[in-house]
Amino acid sequence: MSGGVVGGHRGFGAGAQRAIALGLMAALATPWLREALEATMTRHMLMQFPLVMLAGALLAAPADGRLRAHIARWNAHGIAGLVFCAVALAVLMIPRVLDLAVRDVWVECAKGGALVACGAALRLSWRTAGAIVQGFFLGNVVPMSIAIGQLYVDSPLRLCNAYQLDDQQRLGAWLTGSAATLGVLWLLGIGWRMIRSDGDAP
């Protein structure tokens, strides 16, 4: 959720970003890559999810000023976009949804659409949200991810029929660590900006 992903990469124009997004989405839709990424819970949630969201973020680059102004009217301070992301990610982390996504092509398509929308919403919302709204968003997503990760680690039963218990526990450990790291990195970024702001003050 760094500025380079959410805010856009200054090294690529809108057309190039859109082309990269479409190419990435086409690659992720190929059966062999989809099967490789969904072969384990860890790759499914911690590799496929972010890659599809990255495609959505890049796809949002061509939004012109008029479209962005229209979006801003219902997405004041990025609140609507970030709330959508939090709800969508919470649903997609449900074990039953992961199971259905592997087995049902329509659920897989819905999952992909939701993740693309999450990536686009993050890009259009993150910078306008500011530190307070960002903190509220991460204050919900990070603890939720840690709680789900611990559930995966501690559960003596397989929560996803498509995956083995050891795979489930491995994902739980990675999900917990990744969520905690994300929260710490955001706090460090906020602290760094405050230090720089104090240093620039007369």
Side-chain angles (χ1 to χ4, degrees):
M1 296 178 187
S2 64
V5 174
V6 178
H9 195 299
R10 291 184 176 84
F12 295 97
Q17 291 183 57
R18 180 170 57 183
I20 293 170
L22 294 175
L24 180 58
M25 291 169 65
L28 292 170
T30 58
W32 68 270
L33 185 54
R34 177 197 163 193
E35 291 173 5
L37 289 173
E38 294 181 353
T40 71
M41 288 184 75
T42 304
R43 291 203 295 266
H44 191 167
M45 191 177 290
L46 297 184
M47 291 183 67
Q48 188 190 59
F49 278 30
L51 285 172
V52 179
M53 290 176 67
L54 173 61
L58 292 171
L59 204 60
D64 59 25
R66 182 178 301 177
L67 178 58
R68 286 180 180 272
H70 176 73
I71 292 172
R73 283 198 290 270
W74 59 263
N75 193 30
H77 306 293
I79 294 173
L82 294 183
V83 168
F84 166 78
C85 288
V87 173
L89 290 174
V91 172
L92 293 174
M93 287 185 191
I94 295 173
R96 179 59 175 164
V97 175
L98 288 178
D99 260 342
L100 288 174
V102 173
R103 302 176 186 278
D104 189 320
V105 65
W106 295 109
V107 178
E108 176 74 7
C109 290
K111 180 195 78 177
L115 288 172
V116 168
C118 279
L122 275 175
R123 178 165 194 173
L124 296 171
S125 305
W126 189 253
R127 286 192 175 180
T128 59
I132 294 176
V133 177
Q134 290 173 9
F136 181 80
F137 170 71
L138 291 177
N140 284 274
V141 172
V142 168
M144 174 187 70
S145 300
I146 291 174
I148 292 174
Q150 281 302 121
L151 175 63
Y152 283 146
V153 170
D154 296 335
S155 176
L157 303 174
R158 290 167 58 191
L159 301 177
C160 287
N161 293 327
Y163 300 106
Q164 298 299 317
L165 182 60
D166 61 340
D167 192 10
Q168 172 182 299
Q169 293 170 339
R170 189 179 307 112
L171 168 65
W174 275 98
L175 184 60
T176 300
S178 299
T181 300
L182 177 63
V184 169
L185 290 175
W186 179 79
L187 288 173
L188 289 174
I190 292 295
W192 174 248
R193 287 197 292 272
M194 291 176 64
I195 292 172
R196 290 187 60 185
S197 177
D198 290 342
D200 294 338

